[in-house]
Amino acid sequence: MDATTFLVLISALLLLALALGLPVSFTLGGIAVLGVLYVWGVKGLFSIAQTAFDEGTNFILIAVPLFVFMANILRCSDLADDLYHLVYTWMGRVPGGLAAGTVVICAIFAAMAGISSVATVTMGLIALPSMLSRGYSKQLATGCVAAGGALGILIPPSVIMVIYGTMAEVSVGKLFMGGLLPGILLAAIFVAYSLLRCLKNPSLGPPVQERFSFAEKLRALKGILLPSLLIIVVLGVIYTGVATPTEAAAVGALGALVCAWVRRRLTWQNFNEALLSTLSITAMVMWIIFGAVAFTHVMAYAGATKVFQDAVLGFGVSKWWIFFGIQVCLFFLGMFLDPAGIIMLTTPILVPLVKTLGFDPVWFGVMFTINMEMAYVTPPFGFNLFIMKAVAPPEVTLDDIYKSILPFVGLQALCLLLCVVFPEIALFLPSLMK
Amino acid sequence: MKRSDQGLARGFIRFSEASNRWVAKVTSYIVVIMMASICYEVFCRYVIESPTDWSLEINQYLLCALSLLGGGYCLVMDQHVRVDFLFRHLSRRRQAVLELCTWWLGMLFCGVLIWRGGQLAIEAFLTNRLSDSVLELPLYPGLVMIPIGSLLLLMQILSRMLQNILLLRHGGEGAPPAPEHTFPGSTASR
Amino acid sequence: KEYVLRIQSVYAEVGHGPQMLKKFAAKAQEYTKGQVKIQLFWPGQLVPLKEGFDAVGKGMMEGLYSCLIYYGGIMPEGKTEWLPFSWRTSQEAYDIYTKGGYLELLRQASAKHKVFYLTPIITADMGFMTSFPVKTLADFKGKKLRATGVDGLVVKTMGAAAVTLPASDLYISMQRGTVDGITYPYYTLSTLKLNEVVKCVVLPGVHTPSITGIYLNQGFWKSLPPDLQKLIEKAALEVFQQSAQASRSWDQEGMDAAKAKGRMITTLPDADVKKLRQLCQPLWAKVAKSSPLSKKMVDLIANYLKAKGAL
Ligand code: NA
Ligand code: NA
């Protein structure tokens, strides 16, 4: 069997097992074992165990459990309630104002946590029922929460960027800075979209009737205090050099604990639940990584990098067509796979290719992350969609959620396009880091 | 399946779940140690200007333990992500059959990790392999997490297979929960 | 009969060392008239970085391009290649390996791990690069310096604090002041754009030059017919020689990058260098203690340097 046949076969096997509903980590790991046995023989199986040890002791991945823990603690504190109350009192009377405000809160959460599920869960629990009960359309309400939550990986800090940076040997600090403006841009696009839709058709997001006095509005402002402090701490320690981006995760987790404690939400039960959930999510991510890296070793041993590069370069098309092709491939992978797995699978092939073609790896990393924003929300496998289903009121069906997300995917693609046409959006801040 | 075998199977299922839950309870506190030790390192380096030389490496070992030992618990909570757009439309019995057909790949993965990982750990212990850092810590405590964690996960996969067999043979009772993408805390009081 | 030799490099393809590796691959294939087919792999493609030595010993791949300091916990003799302030030039290093019998000792040591030490490849000088001005050794007192392995101990003996950071955090840590200095190859001033964040380059380096190497699976090596072994060794020796010359131009490249940004380049006073060498002797002794072979190697290097009047 030649390299190309083998690679096609093993990829087909992978897709089949995934489609049959086998957990992603088992699929990658199990097929890696079969692949190793075929191309490498029994002695190659050592690489599977060595990979688990190497990735398990990977310093940069230490950020993963810490960011997840921070998210879980934030979820059990009532910071989100306060923020939502703020939005409600200030923006409730604008058509679509609650949706727009929800996106803003999601962006603020994104600046605190490195994963997408924090804002999705919290806003799904708090903002979604409130919007629905005030006559907001299901589609707008669920869509803005699911897509807004995904901002968590684009606005720094970001676990996805940390993993990408490790695999691609790109400065994580630069990636963080690179994601900030596109993240703000994307949030702004979501806000504009929500307001414009409701301006044209107020029945999608009717204004709140309740009136608030100015004093009440001022009082609501104090809700922003603790979250802003936390953002300043996390981004501040990175920016001032007190801690590396990895260490900032630990500082942020401690900060979240303090916030929860200040708000008297840090019960023993909350604390233990947060720990157990952190363990479970970390294990889920890490086992996917164990499997995915083992799988990429098989692909490399069989010569995938060369086959792929030859195939892409062999078309003889311009580098922008190749870039476009890569983004389309990533989009399709994103429909079926988790972003962490996509990074492991594709970076060993993509990054050399991108460098060969002369693209800036930092810029490409940001484009990659925007593409992964879509992966979180595209059906059929969209992590945020499943979270939405889990936390939304029962009258919201999975089909509602699938439909709700489509315009937002389009907006994410628009943001990606803008950053391609105006690369400065992604590169301006990293270029200041000199 | 005979009645006594059934009892044995149910016993194993309970044992596997209980041990994974217990291990998870203990292991989850590693997160606190990680957070505290890294914050302490930042404090030592920035405030008293004398960084520790153990924080980084200890945390690498802790991450290794956390991620490997949590695999089984993650399956107890049914949180290993999966693509279920076909799967969720099937009946419970068909789901059970499908899982019996595919989950051996997971067992294969765990089996290799137990075998080769165990071998690496034993070798590291016998030849006294050390890390390449200033600390020169022995490698085996990290390596030994591979077979232990994989064994915990393998037990849970086996227990799930048994649940599926019990479902097919004896119906309803003992079946695995329908895979759903629930998020921890989604049923929490708030 | 055709032999396939798969070599994984722990250094990214763009680096200087891998260019020498590519040269070796080309030469070896040419000399053996294609009887040995060499396939190169890049970091992490086949096995993880830290596991490379083990993987070659176990025959998961036939060759590895790396440096032995990563595997000091497995093969302590490898640390003798990374003694701080030992050989002073690539010529001295070349002499010690080829004429002094050092390479033979290394081969004995690696054979115990089923690895054949084919050849060292000289990369370049590495030493301190700081964000504070340095004039003398005393300026290092109380600073935070990123250094790994033996260099961490050097940093401590200099009265500074050793910080361990992953290489991926180097740039941002220097820029943001998380650390005050690093030990790293000087050419990264140009290749990793460290000249943007480094204020002062300190000479002489700690490792002048640092040594990487090509290591082969012992079984694979023995399976080759003697004539092929000879041809491959010939290719290896030539590349080793070339690397000794090339390393100087890499150092120069780094220095040029520093000068282009107007960075300070300090050469420590002779008295300080002597003092540093003395401070490092206990570290040498520690390495020598790790095994009888290590002791032989450290003695061999020390005797050579004594004869040259450097110790
Ligand atoms: Na974020
Ligand atoms: Na998706």
Side-chain angles (χ1 to χ4, degrees):
Chain A
M1 200 177 342
D2 69 343
T4 316
T5 323
F6 174 78
L7 292 171
V8 169
L9 211 66
I10 199 167
S11 308
L13 198 59
L14 182 82
L15 285 179
L16 178 69
L18 283 177
L20 291 179
L22 182 64
V24 179
S25 49
F26 302 165
T27 308
L28 289 163
I31 291 179
V33 170
L34 295 179
V36 164
L37 284 174
Y38 183 78
V39 296
W40 215 329
V42 179
K43 65 188 170 197
L45 292 178
F46 276 113
S47 92
I48 304 234
Q50 286 174 332
T51 299
F53 183 65
D54 196 67
E55 292 303 325
T57 55
N58 187 338
F59 177 73
I60 286 197
L61 294 176
I62 289 172
V64 173
L66 294 169
F67 277 136
V68 174
F69 181 58
M70 178 177 168
N72 281 325
I73 291 293
L74 281 179
R75 194 161 48 76
C76 76
S77 72
D78 52 1
L79 293 184
D81 290 304
D82 290 354
L83 278 175
Y84 189 71
H85 183 66
L86 178 77
V87 169
Y88 189 77
T89 46
W90 283 75
M91 300 193 45
R93 294 186 59 79
V94 181
L98 291 181
T102 300
V103 170
V104 174
I105 299 180
C106 286
I108 293 176
F109 264 76
M112 292 192 278
I115 54 179
S116 77
S117 49
V118 193
T120 315
V121 174
T122 39
M123 288 296 105
L125 283 169
I126 297 157
L128 187 60
S130 162
M131 280 191 275
L132 293 178
S133 68
R134 281 165 186 86
Y136 272 60
S137 88
K138 272 188 204 169
Q139 292 199 7
L140 184 63
T142 45
C144 77
V145 173
L151 289 170
I153 61 158
L154 184 56
I155 297 176
S158 158
V159 171
I160 290 300
M161 283 181 171
V162 169
I163 301 176
Y164 177 87
T166 325
M167 294 294 286
E169 296 178 327
V170 178
S171 154
V172 173
K174 285 193 174 183
L175 284 175
F176 278 10
M177 287 302 134
L180 188 54
L181 288 183
I184 293 173
L185 172 69
L186 185 53
I189 291 176
F190 289 162
V191 166
Y193 169 80
S194 309
L195 294 178
L196 286 176
R197 280 293 301 275
C198 297
L199 198 68
K200 265 180 87 180
N201 182 1
S203 71
L204 291 175
V208 173
Q209 296 307 317
E210 219 175 323
R211 277 175 181 281
F212 293 95
S213 73
F214 190 66
E216 278 171 313
K217 285 185 178 179
L218 275 186
R219 233 174 296 138
L221 266 183
K222 75 180 191 326
I224 199 100
L225 188 71
L226 277 181
S228 0
L229 266 178
L230 199 52
I231 296 166
I232 292 170
V233 167
V234 171
L235 296 184
V237 290
I238 298 175
Y239 194 75
T240 56
V242 173
T244 64
T246 315
E247 292 167 338
V251 177
L254 186 65
L257 271 180
V258 171
C259 285
W261 177 74
V262 166
R263 307 310 303 258
R264 296 171 196 285
R265 302 297 299 232
L266 192 62
T267 63
W268 190 240
Q269 190 196 349
N270 277 344
F271 182 66
N272 278 319
E273 270 177 19
L275 280 178
L276 278 174
S277 152
T278 305
L279 173 72
S280 186
I281 295 176
T282 305
M284 185 265 280
V285 172
M286 293 298 289
W287 276 86
I288 290 181
I289 291 178
F290 298 156
V293 178
F295 183 75
T296 56
H297 287 163
V298 176
M299 301 284 269
Y301 199 90
T305 314
K306 195 158 165 16
V307 168
F308 184 82
Q309 274 184 355
D310 289 354
V312 172
L313 296 174
F315 285 130
V317 293
S318 85
K319 69 178 200 174
W320 287 104
W321 279 110
I322 297 178
F323 176 82
F324 180 72
I326 291 174
Q327 293 299 334
V328 171
C329 287
L330 288 175
F331 178 81
F332 278 106
L333 284 175
M335 289 172 68
F336 298 98
L337 279 175
D338 179 75
I342 296 175
I343 293 176
M344 296 296 160
L345 270 184
T346 58
T347 41
I349 299 170
L350 282 185
V351 171
L353 183 67
V354 162
K355 283 180 185 161
T356 313
L357 293 173
F359 292 114
D360 182 331
V362 172
W363 173 78
F364 184 80
V366 176
M367 299 304 106
F368 186 94
T369 312
I370 300 176
N371 203 311
M372 291 304 103
E373 290 267 310
M374 297 194 262
Y376 272 110
V377 296
T378 46
F381 182 87
F383 207 66
N384 281 11
L385 307 180
F386 299 138
I387 294 175
M388 284 306 289
K389 179 70 195 100
V391 300
E395 73 263 24
V396 180
T397 65
L398 197 59
D399 285 344
D400 287 333
I401 296 174
Y402 278 177
K403 267 184 233 151
S404 76
I405 206 63
L406 293 179
F408 288 90
V409 174
L411 296 175
Q412 287 166 329
L414 173 68
C415 177
L416 183 65
L417 190 68
L418 284 174
C419 292
V420 171
V421 179
F422 307 105
E424 299 80 17
I425 301 173
L427 288 177
F428 173 65
L429 287 181
S431 73
L432 291 185
M433 290 178 49
K434 276 195 178 139
Chain B
M1 201 180 279
K2 274 188 297 192
R3 212 182 184 82
S4 59
D5 291 349
Q6 233 189 92
L8 208 62
R10 292 191 203 285
F12 177 78
I13 290 166
R14 274 195 303 274
F15 169 75
S16 167
E17 186 177 330
S19 29
N20 267 306
R21 280 183 188 277
W22 184 81
V23 169
K25 225 179 170 110
V26 178
T27 310
S28 68
Y29 283 92
I30 286 178
V31 181
V32 182
I33 305 175
M34 289 173 80
M35 182 191 74
S37 63
I38 294 177
C39 288
Y40 178 73
E41 161 78 5
V42 172
F43 174 81
C44 283
R45 190 178 58 224
Y46 191 73
V47 183
I48 53 182
E49 305 235 320
S50 103
T52 68
D53 50 14
W54 47 264
S55 171
L56 177 91
E57 205 168 346
I58 294 294
N59 272 287
Q60 288 174 302
Y61 280 65
L62 290 177
L63 178 68
C64 196
L66 185 72
S67 44
L68 280 156
L69 297 182
Y73 176 74
C74 184
L75 186 54
V76 171
M77 305 304 285
D78 201 14
Q79 277 174 346
H80 281 283
V81 278
R82 52 207 303 215
V83 186
D84 65 347
F85 66 101
L86 292 177
F87 193 81
R88 69 162 179 270
H89 297 297
L90 301 176
S91 69
R92 286 286 284 277
R93 290 185 73 83
R94 290 215 172 126
Q95 287 182 348
V97 173
L98 191 55
E99 287 199 357
L100 285 172
C101 293
T102 54
W103 280 50
W104 57 270
L105 272 172
M107 295 170 66
L108 188 66
F109 186 36
C110 291
V112 165
L113 285 174
I114 294 171
W115 173 31
R116 288 312 203 188
Q119 212 169 332
L120 288 178
I122 292 170
E123 258 181 44
F125 179 75
L126 292 179
T127 60
N128 190 26
R129 290 204 170 171
L130 306 174
S131 68
D132 63 345
S133 69
V134 183
L135 282 189
E136 302 202 318
L137 292 180
L139 285 178
Y140 75 88
L143 282 165
V144 83
M145 294 302 161
I146 301 173
I148 296 178
S150 311
L151 183 67
L152 282 165
L153 179 55
L154 180 66
M155 266 169 34
Q156 196 52 35
I157 297 178
L158 267 175
S159 128
R160 182 136 175 163
M161 301 287 246
L162 283 176
Q163 282 173 313
N164 280 322
I165 294 172
L166 287 175
L167 169 75
L168 291 175
R169 288 282 183 100
H170 308 280
E173 201 194 345
E180 243 179 57
H181 286 276
T182 53
F183 190 79
S186 62
T187 53
S189 50
R190 54 196 322 276
Chain C
K1 194 185 165 200
E2 194 181 81
Y3 297 85
V4 178
L5 167 53
R6 299 176 192 83
I7 305 179
Q8 177 172 298
S9 161
V10 303
Y11 304 104
E13 191 175 352
V14 287
H16 286 309
Q19 298 316 309
M20 296 320 275
L21 176 66
K22 282 184 171 175
K23 273 203 179 125
F24 163 75
K27 265 183 201 278
Q29 295 192 93
E30 187 199 320
Y31 291 171
T32 60
K33 302 203 173 59
Q35 273 180 281
V36 176
K37 213 168 152 272
I38 298 183
Q39 293 173 3
L40 300 182
F41 293 87
W42 305 108
Q45 284 196 327
L46 298 186
V47 297
L49 180 145
K50 285 177 275 177
E51 322 298 335
F53 194 73
D54 203 22
V56 166
K58 291 192 159 70
M60 287 157 54
M61 54 195 185
E62 292 78 18
L64 170 72
Y65 174 57
S66 183
C67 71
L68 289 180
I69 192 72
Y70 293 139
Y71 320 110
I74 302 171
M75 176 181 142
E77 292 86 357
K79 291 186 199 165
T80 58
E81 284 191 319
W82 288 80
L83 295 174
F85 298 101
S86 67
W87 42 71
R88 296 168 299 175
T89 61
S90 12
Q91 188 56 47
E92 283 188 358
Y94 185 80
D95 286 349
I96 291 174
Y97 274 91
T98 52
K99 293 171 198 156
Y102 182 44
L103 182 56
E104 276 316 306
L105 290 177
L106 280 165
R107 283 182 176 169
Q108 282 177 32
S110 68
K112 285 191 261 172
H113 303 272
K114 301 196 180 93
V115 172
F116 176 71
Y117 188 128
L118 178 64
T119 182
I121 287 181
I122 287 174
T123 36
D125 288 7
M126 65 183 278
F128 290 103
M129 295 179 270
T130 60
S131 56
F132 55 93
V134 175
K135 290 219 176 68
T136 68
L137 189 55
D139 293 325
F140 282 103
K141 275 228 157 52
K143 299 291 186 186
K144 289 171 282 188
L145 305 173
R146 185 266 185 188
T148 50
V150 157
D151 291 3
L153 298 174
V154 177
V155 163
K156 281 186 178 174
T157 60
M158 288 162 64
V163 180
T164 34
L165 286 177
S168 52
D169 280 350
L170 271 187
Y171 182 98
I172 193 166
S173 308
M174 275 299 279
Q175 177 191 38
R176 298 271 164 246
T178 314
V179 292
D180 305 315
I182 53 178
T183 56
Y184 221 52
Y186 292 127
Y187 64 75
T188 54
L189 284 163
S190 135
T191 53
L192 296 182
K193 305 256 180 302
L194 287 183
N195 63 344
E196 292 167 0
V197 290
V198 161
K199 299 265 159 58
C200 178
V201 181
V202 184
L203 298 173
V206 185
H207 306 286
T208 55
S210 52
I211 307 286
T212 56
I214 302 175
Y215 320 112
L216 304 182
N217 174 268
Q218 184 91 353
F220 169 79
W221 180 251
K222 285 194 174 143
S223 76
L224 292 177
D227 58 317
L228 288 186
Q229 286 183 348
K230 282 229 168 59
L231 292 170
I232 288 180
E233 276 193 282
K234 181 178 164 219
L237 186 68
E238 284 176 18
V239 171
F240 180 30
Q241 266 168 338
Q242 282 183 0
S243 69
Q245 285 148 19
S247 76
R248 262 167 276 158
S249 65
W250 301 337
D251 294 336
Q252 196 52 48
E253 188 186 305
M255 295 304 149
D256 290 346
K259 278 180 200 144
K261 286 261 174 198
R263 301 310 185 198
M264 180 175 173
I265 298 178
T266 300
T267 306
L268 290 176
D270 283 347
D272 277 359
V273 178
K274 262 216 173 87
K275 198 175 157 203
L276 260 176
R277 286 184 173 279
Q278 236 126 48
L279 281 174
C280 289
Q281 284 313 300
L283 303 179
W284 288 34
K286 200 177 159 229
V287 172
K289 245 191 263 169
S290 61
S291 85
L293 260 177
S294 299
K295 175 147 182 17
K296 264 194 196 172
M297 296 179 190
V298 172
D299 287 348
L300 186 150
I301 296 168
N303 288 337
Y304 177 91
L305 290 176
K306 272 177 197 147
K308 289 260 175 185
L311 263 180

